Amino acid sequence: DIDEFKMVNDGLGYHIGDTMLTEIAQRLRRALYLPGDVVARFDGDEFAIFFDRLPDLPAAFNAAQRIRQLFEDPFMIENGQEIFCNVSIGLELITSEVPIETVMRNADLALYRAKHTGRGGIEIFDQTLYANFSTRLHNETALRLALQRQEFRLFAQPIIDFEHSHCTGFEILIRWAHPDGRLRSPGQFLDIAEETGLIIPLGWWMLEVAAEQLARWQADPMMQHMTLAINLSPRQLLHSQLLPTLKSIFERYQFPRQQLHLEITEGALLNTERAEPILNALRNFGLHLHIDDFGTGYSSLTYLHRFPLNTIKIDRSFIQAALEDQRSLAIVRTIINLAQTMQLATIAEGIETAEHIQVLRELGCQAGQGYFFSPPVPLEQAADFSLS
Ligand code: C2E
Ligand code: CA
Ligand code: CA
Ligand code: CA
C-alpha cells in the first residue's frame, strides 16, 4: 500500500494521478525476479505482487525491503514538485496450494497491521492475525443482531446543581442488555460500533428515545425543565444526516430545544475544519453543547476559543485525583477559572464523596454528577430519582 503523499513544499496531501500510477507500476516491476513473478494493481493505491519462487522467510523480507528501497526516491510531479511515498507491506508465505481469496485476505490482514503498527512497515501474516479478525467479525455480527433485537438500554445519571442541591437533568449512558443476562458497559462495545459504523443507527435511535422522553416530561410539572445530555460519537458528529435528523426530531416531538444537550469529546473536534461549521449549526439550531472529558485530549485551549460551546465537563480522572494530588487540584482550578473567563458552565464528573463537592464548590464549579449522588439508572426510573 502506497500512502501519505507529502508535498515537500507545502505539506499538503496529493491525489494519486495516472502519471504517478504508471511510474509506481514501473518501479514495482523492477522488484520482480523471475518470469513467473507478477505485479497487479489491487485497489486504489494498493498493489499485489506475487513472487513465484522465494526460498524462505529471509528471502521474502529481502524482496519486501527492495520494494521499500524503490520508493526512497521522490516522485516528480507537475511544476517540478517532489512527493515522497510511504510504503506498507503485508507478506504471506504459501508452501502449498491455497485458494487465491485466502491468500489475498491474509496478505491484506498483514498489510492492515503493517499500516497500523508502523514497525518498519512490513508485517508477515500469522494465525493470530486471523484469530483477531474472526473475533472482530464475530463481535460485529453480535452487535448488529443486538441492534435488530433491540437489546440496547438507555441509562440516565443525574446532574446536580451545587448551589441549590437539586437535579437539573441527566446524562444518557448506553448499556447492552446481552442475552446472557449481564449488562455490557459502553467500553465493551462502543469501539467496535464506532469502527463498523453501527454507532450511526444506534446514535439515531438514542436521539429518538431521548426526544420522546423529553416530550413526555413536558406534561409533568416536576420534570418539564429537566435536560438530557447525549454523547455524540466522533463519527456521528461528522455525519451528514446529523442536522436533518435533529430537525426531523423537533418536528415530531414538542419540547424546548435548549433541553437537549450534546456531549462532544475533544477527539471529535480534531478535524477543526469539518467540526467548526457543524458545531455552529448545532448551536444556532438552539442546542446546548458540552465538551466532554475536558483536559484529557489535545489542544484544549484552541477549542474553547474557536467553538461555540456552553459547558465544560471536567474529566473524572482530575476530580478523583484532586483530593490527593496538588497538580490535579491545580488543573481543576485552572479549568474552572478558564470556564468562568469564557463564560462557560462547568460540570464535574465522577463525584464520589462529599469532600469532592465541597472542594469543587469552593473553586466555583456549578454542577456535578457521580456515584455520590447516583449511579446511572434506567431512563424510565429517572423521574423517581429527581423526586428523592
Ligand atoms: P463519559 O461520557 O465520560 O461518561 C461518564 C462515565 O463515568 C460513565 O461510564 C459513568 O457510568 C461513569 N461514572 C459516573 N459517575 C461515576 C463515578 O462517580 N465514579 C466513576 N468511577 N465513574 C462514574 P460509562 O457509562 O461506562 O460510559 C463510558 C463512556 O462511554 C462515556 O464516558 C462515553 O464517552 C461513552 N458513552 C456512554 N454512552 C454513550 C452513548 O450513548 N453514545 C456514545 N457515543 N458514547 C457513549
Ligand atoms: Ca493508501
Ligand atoms: Ca459524557
Ligand atoms: Ca466524560
Side-chain angles (χ1 to χ4, degrees):
D1 176 84
I2 320 279
D3 236 346
E4 288 177 26
F5 299 86
K6 291 269 192 302
M7 293 248 205
V8 177
N9 295 347
D10 57 11
L12 287 177
Y14 176 74
H15 184 70
I16 175 168
D18 283 346
T19 343
M20 191 152 162
L21 261 179
T22 316
E23 201 183 328
I24 291 174
Q26 277 162 359
R27 288 194 193 189
L28 285 175
R29 217 176 295 142
R30 273 188 255 143
L32 308 182
Y33 299 98
L34 298 173
D37 297 351
V38 182
V39 56
R41 184 163 170 211
F42 184 38
D43 180 21
D45 56 357
E46 290 181 6
F47 296 82
I49 303 182
F50 175 74
F51 290 106
D52 194 14
R53 232 159 280 167
L54 287 176
D56 51 17
L57 187 60
F61 249 107
N62 265 335
Q65 287 292 5
R66 268 191 45 195
I67 294 169
R68 285 175 60 82
Q69 280 160 13
L70 292 170
F71 286 84
E72 277 170 4
D73 289 334
F75 288 79
M76 304 291 288
I77 55 156
E78 317 90 63
N79 54 41
Q81 284 187 309
E82 295 182 324
I83 290 177
F84 285 92
C85 290
N86 201 9
V87 183
S88 307
I89 299 173
L91 290 173
E92 173 167 52
L93 288 132
I94 36 179
T95 49
S96 56
E97 273 188 29
V98 180
I100 186 68
E101 294 81 15
T102 313
V103 179
M104 293 305 286
R105 183 201 65 202
N106 291 352
D108 203 33
L109 286 169
L111 175 62
Y112 183 79
R113 187 160 76 181
K115 286 178 71 160
H116 286 84
T117 57
R119 268 178 293 161
I122 303 175
E123 287 283 340
I124 304 168
F125 173 80
D126 62 46
Q127 284 304 324
T128 58
L129 276 180
Y130 183 67
N132 291 343
F133 168 72
S134 36
T135 326
R136 287 201 82 74
L137 200 65
H138 172 81
N139 290 341
E140 187 186 333
T141 313
L143 269 191
R144 256 179 229 290
L145 277 176
L147 196 64
Q148 262 172 34
R149 297 178 181 153
Q150 306 188 315
E151 288 168 3
F152 291 104
R153 304 281 176 269
L154 295 190
F155 276 56
Q157 185 175 41
I159 297 171
I160 308 297
D161 175 274
F162 291 149
E163 197 184 341
H164 307 100
S165 304
H166 71 162
C167 172
T168 57
F170 304 84
E171 173 176 4
I172 302 237
L173 296 157
I174 195 160
R175 299 288 180 267
W176 175 12
H178 196 272
D180 71 9
R182 286 196 301 254
L183 276 186
R184 300 274 196 280
S185 63
Q188 293 170 281
F189 59 86
L190 277 189
D191 283 353
I192 299 171
E194 180 79 13
E195 276 174 39
T196 56
L198 279 172
I199 193 77
I200 298 298
L202 192 61
W204 298 156
W205 170 76
M206 290 180 47
L207 279 172
E208 193 80 23
V209 178
E212 200 183 338
Q213 184 65 79
L214 284 166
R216 213 169 318 124
W217 281 344
Q218 294 307 302
D220 177 348
M222 294 300 295
M223 300 304 287
Q224 63 183 340
H225 299 298
M226 293 292 167
T227 60
L228 284 180
I230 299 251
N231 292 286
L232 279 196
S233 90
R235 218 162 155 156
Q236 205 184 355
L237 177 74
L238 300 178
H239 199 281
S240 61
Q241 286 307 303
L242 178 60
L243 204 61
T245 304
L246 287 164
K247 284 183 177 152
S248 138
I249 280 177
F250 279 96
E251 276 161 21
R252 287 175 290 118
Y253 299 101
Q254 307 301 316
F255 62 91
R257 289 188 186 174
Q258 70 270 18
Q259 276 173 258
L260 184 63
H261 297 185
L262 300 178
E263 301 203 348
I264 296 154
T265 53
E266 286 173 284
L269 302 180
L270 266 183
N271 189 341
T272 39
E273 300 305 321
R274 282 187 70 193
E276 193 173 14
I278 297 173
L279 293 200
N280 285 330
L282 292 171
R283 179 67 187 268
N284 290 338
F285 188 63
L287 308 180
H288 267 239
L289 304 180
H290 295 177
I291 185 156
D292 205 356
D293 302 341
F294 188 78
T296 58
Y298 311 84
S299 55
S300 321
L301 280 174
T302 5
Y303 294 151
L304 288 189
H305 170 70
R306 186 148 178 189
F307 296 128
L309 303 161
N310 300 86
T311 304
I312 297 181
K313 295 195 77 170
I314 310 170
D315 191 66
R316 70 166 182 270
S317 57
F318 298 123
I319 306 299
Q320 295 183 338
L323 295 181
E324 288 113 52
D325 162 26
Q326 284 301 314
R327 280 183 46 200
S328 299
L329 184 66
I331 292 175
V332 174
R333 182 185 296 118
T334 310
I335 296 176
I336 295 170
N337 289 342
L338 199 63
Q340 284 170 342
T341 316
M342 315 221 31
Q343 295 178 309
L344 301 172
T346 40
I347 299 177
E349 299 178 333
I351 294 180
E352 293 182 356
T353 64
E355 218 182 336
H356 281 143
I357 307 175
Q358 198 196 330
V359 170
L360 285 160
R361 283 178 78 150
E362 278 166 18
L363 294 178
C365 177
Q366 289 117 331
Q369 64 189 94
Y371 296 160
F372 179 77
F373 301 115
S374 165
V377 297
L379 181 58
E380 315 83 70
Q381 291 164 30
D384 303 337
F385 171 86
S386 72
L387 295 176
S388 60

